[in-house]
Amino acid sequence: MGYYKLNWDATIAKEASKVAIGAVIRDQMGLVVGTLQAQKVLFVDSFMAEAYALMLAVIFCRDMGIQDIIMEGDALQVIHVLNKATTDWSQGGVLIANAKMILNTLHSWSGSHVKREGNKAAHILARNTPSLEEDLYVLEDYPACIHSIILSEMM
């Protein structure tokens, strides 16, 4: 009760040197309270892309005033670094450390790995982000591209 679930994902458009990010925040009833679609020109590997996506998603949650969050991502390496007590000093590790600093200002948080099947909505948002002209933050609704996924997960 009172917890929110954050799923995030990132894809890389190598030809455009862009990272595309998708994130979905749900309340304890499974209702979508916000989505994020953003992109950034970066020359990165998949670890750094997922770490950057995590950081943006955490900032979005903080800005929404969320204090208790359960995070699920399909990037095992990112989840591993997030849950470690020590800092990974790679570029991606520093992004995760920054996200962790924000998370530590919240009441409570946890991060766990989920298979791609359990992260479908965030993945679809990320895949559809390059078609947008600007970043998209949606509150109390969600883009049409994930409508069928949200409905199937609510059943």
Side-chain angles (χ1 to χ4, degrees):
M1 198 64 166
Y3 277 83
Y4 291 84
K5 186 174 92 166
L6 164 66
N7 288 84
W8 86 93
D9 201 10
T11 61
I12 301 172
K14 290 187 186 217
E15 64 283 346
S17 301
K18 282 186 180 180
V19 173
I21 296 151
V24 179
I25 304 168
R26 295 181 175 108
D27 66 13
Q28 64 274 7
M29 308 268 292
L31 300 173
V32 175
V33 296
T35 62
L36 157 68
Q37 289 179 273
Q39 52 189 325
K40 178 99 173 140
V41 174
L42 287 173
F43 298 97
V44 297
D45 58 22
S46 61
F47 174 68
M48 189 168 163
E50 291 281 356
Y52 181 72
L54 171 65
M55 189 182 70
L56 280 188
V58 166
I59 290 169
F60 183 45
C61 287
R62 181 205 55 200
D63 291 351
M64 287 181 61
I66 294 172
Q67 288 294 309
D68 298 291
I69 188 163
I70 299 167
M71 297 171 293
E72 293 181 343
D74 59 17
L76 184 58
Q77 186 181 9
V78 170
I79 294 297
H80 177 71
V81 172
L82 178 66
N83 289 322
K84 279 178 58 175
T86 58
T87 301
D88 173 339
W89 291 106
S90 68
Q91 288 180 322
V94 171
L95 289 171
I96 295 168
N98 287 338
K100 203 186 265 193
M101 283 178 26
I102 294 167
L103 289 166
N104 288 334
T105 68
L106 306 180
H107 182 259
S108 66
W109 65 272
S110 68
S112 61
H113 179 257
V114 65
K115 292 184 179 182
R116 171 69 52 90
E117 186 65 28
N119 208 34
K120 255 199 251 182
H123 180 71
I124 297 298
L125 285 175
R127 271 196 12 220
N128 283 283
T129 296
S131 65
L132 300 175
E133 291 184 26
E134 57 188 28
D135 295 350
L136 182 62
Y137 297 80
V138 178
L139 301 177
E140 298 182 5
D141 200 3
Y142 49 86
C145 64
I146 60 170
H147 181 73
S148 63
I149 295 166
I150 299 298
L151 287 180
S152 70
E153 290 175 351
M154 294 292 290
M155 295 180 175

